Amino acid sequence: MRLQTATRLGLYAALELARDPGVQLSATDLAARFGVSTHHLAKVLRELARAGLIAGERGATGGYRFTGNPRRVTLMDIVALFEVEPGRRPPEAGDDTDIGVALAGVLTEIDEIAEATLRSITLETLLRQIRRTGAAAS
């Protein structure tokens, strides 16, 4: 499963905000943390807000904070906001050949395994793992 940049940014932002739901972070702060443009991240943050996972406040002291339930929100919940479902992808050249059909079956199976894994991991589970391993960038 190859994730688009927006999907990875959605995961990064959701995890960063879920790390401490009481803290508000601006799009500028988050963009600097991830090394991306504020404009690109703002689109991702709007999608997370539309899904009810974060809330934003405008103004000088404004910013975003996590409003979802990190114990219930899975990585797949966020991935699904940005990615096309495997069965709904537009056809590509070669898909209608015998090799294309066989390859599509294998790739679909890989996608299903990846999705099952992403559905089994909540934000809280991953944050707990980050705290335990110290893998979080600060």
Side-chain angles (χ1 to χ4, degrees):
M1 173 181 273
R2 185 175 179 183
L3 300 177
Q4 300 179 53
T5 301
T7 307
R8 288 196 314 274
L9 289 176
L11 289 165
Y12 293 158
L15 284 161
E16 187 64 42
L17 293 168
R19 184 188 304 232
D20 189 352
V23 172
Q24 279 193 170
L25 295 172
S26 71
T28 303
D29 289 340
L30 288 167
R33 200 168 291 193
F34 306 138
V36 298
S37 77
T38 302
H39 178 72
H40 189 80
L41 184 63
K43 292 178 185 176
V44 170
L45 293 171
R46 278 194 297 272
E47 192 61 33
L48 292 172
R50 264 194 291 272
L53 296 175
I54 65 172
E57 286 185 30
R58 295 177 187 249
T61 60
Y64 293 90
R65 63 184 172 76
F66 189 77
T67 57
N69 182 344
R71 292 180 178 171
R72 298 191 63 95
V73 176
T74 69
L75 299 180
M76 190 62 207
D77 292 330
I78 296 166
V79 169
L81 295 174
F82 302 98
E83 299 289 332
V84 176
E85 290 179 48
R88 297 183 184 251
R89 290 189 177 126
E92 296 180 11
D95 280 355
D96 57 348
T97 65
D98 58 343
I99 293 172
V101 170
L103 189 57
V106 172
L107 295 176
T108 298
E109 188 174 328
I110 291 169
D111 281 346
E112 290 171 356
I113 292 167
E115 285 182 33
T117 301
L118 291 169
R119 285 188 201 290
S120 71
I121 302 171
T122 66
L123 297 186
E124 183 170 291
T125 300
L126 191 54
L127 288 169
R128 198 174 325 124
Q129 181 181 339
I130 291 168
R131 283 190 293 269
R132 197 173 40 241
T133 63
S138 52

